[in-house]
Structure formats: structure tokens, C-alpha cells
Amino acid sequence: MHGRFLLPLIAGCAFAATAATASAIPFAITGGSGTASGISVGSTVDITVSDELVHSFPLNVGETTERFGFLDVTVSGIGLTTGTIDAEMHFSQPTSATAEGVLAGFSVILGWVSGGVLTVLHDPGPIAFGDGGLFDVNFFGFSDSCSYCTTLSGTVEATVSLLRAPRTTSVPEPATLSLLGAGLAALGFSRRRRRD
């Protein structure tokens, strides 16, 4: 009697363990870059990769990361700057890929009043990986203003979203195989007892 309930219970645990291990997809961001182009009169634009950018994290389908720093942008000097920044973010997991987007900036620095806005003109498109997997990257601009200053600065932030997991033929982990083996042994033992 106990054998009838033991095998389904063990099989259920094995499938639950397989599902739990297969759901989260690992991501790794390895770096990025930003290149400014446009018109600058009396001002300079400096772009550096944020210290927060290079990191790893897991995502489940439908999840989105918190915003993290991507590019630190500084405009300095008395003058005017207008133009675009071609931005790239590099991934090594779940696939080797580059997310590209375009940011537009405008700043006026006159010494006594300064202001600027960096807006996103073009977000990266969804990136495919594996067999049907899909993730998305979004960039977020910033604004800055000050009085009696000659420097404007801010951080372009980003998020990553897992839209769809790839279709996989899952290979059971050793713990799952142990549970399955125990279930088969219990089934064989219960059948042997019935014959005796």
C-alpha cells in the first residue's frame, strides 16, 4: 500500500527539483562604452563606464533588474554642447552580445546658470539567445542644473529584462537522478514483496 504513494511522491519531488533549477537564467555584463559626437563650443564631454556596470545576476522570465549605473557623463567648461552618444553594453551570458542605443544631449554652461538634459533616442532592441530565448535592455537618461558652476554631470542608468527563456532539453542533476533511482528501487522492492 505504501509503495503506491511512495513512487508518485518521489517522482513529483524529482520534477520539482528539475523545474526549480531550470528557471533562473544567469546574466553577466562584462563592460560597455560610449562615444560622443556632435557640436561642442568651449565645453568638453567626458564619458566613463560606471563602477556598477560589470556584474552578474540571475533572472526569471518576466523579471527586470533594478536600475544600475551604465555611463558616467560630465560636461565641463563655459560653452555649449549638443550631440549624441552611441552607447554599447557587452554581455558574455546568456550569450555574447552587444546592446546598442543612442542618447542625445544638450547643455548650456554660462557660469552663472547651467543646465542640461540627456535623453534616450533609441533603446537597444531585444536580444535573442539559445533556442527561443529573448532579453531586453533599456537605457535611462538624466538631467542636471546648477548655478555659478562650470560642470554638469549625471549617470546613464540601465535595466535588463528576461522576456522569454530558451527551449531546452533539461539534463537532470545528480540529486534528481538519486531521487529517481530511489523511487525505482522502492517500486522494485514493493513489487518483490507482493510476489513473496
Side-chain angles (χ1 to χ4, degrees):
M1 185 73 161
H2 295 291
R4 279 189 206 160
F5 298 108
L6 187 60
L7 183 61
L9 179 64
I10 291 174
C13 290
F15 285 121
T18 303
T21 57
S23 61
I25 304 292
F27 283 78
I29 300 174
T30 57
S33 64
T35 306
S37 60
I39 300 170
S40 188
V41 179
S43 299
T44 58
V45 179
D46 293 313
I47 303 168
T48 57
V49 174
S50 174
D51 292 338
E52 297 178 21
L53 180 60
V54 176
H55 67 294
S56 301
F57 50 90
L59 280 179
N60 291 303
V61 174
E63 287 184 339
T64 299
T65 63
E66 296 289 328
R67 288 189 185 188
F68 54 87
F70 173 27
L71 298 173
D72 296 324
V73 181
T74 302
V75 180
S76 56
I78 297 175
L80 171 96
T81 298
T82 183
T84 59
I85 297 173
D86 293 320
E88 292 186 353
M89 184 180 295
H90 308 294
F91 291 81
S92 63
Q93 281 187 303
T95 185
S96 293
T98 299
E100 300 178 10
V102 179
L103 308 160
F106 176 78
S107 65
V108 177
I109 299 179
L110 301 173
W112 57 275
V113 61
S114 306
V117 177
L118 198 68
T119 57
V120 178
L121 290 181
H122 172 67
D123 262 327
I127 297 171
F129 68 98
D131 181 12
L134 204 63
F135 69 93
D136 197 21
V137 179
N138 286 302
F139 296 156
F140 300 90
F142 63 86
S143 62
D144 190 26
S145 62
C146 58
S147 300
Y148 303 105
C149 68
T150 58
T151 301
L152 297 172
S153 61
T155 299
V156 175
E157 295 180 316
T159 61
V160 178
S161 304
L162 180 57
L163 304 178
R164 190 169 61 224
R167 294 177 288 276
T168 59
T169 304
S170 60
V171 177
E173 293 188 358
T176 305
L177 290 175
S178 298
L179 284 172
L180 184 59
L184 292 174
L187 179 62
F189 180 72
S190 68
R191 288 191 179 194
R192 187 173 183 179
R193 282 184 74 187
R194 284 186 197 164
R195 287 183 189 168
D196 294 342

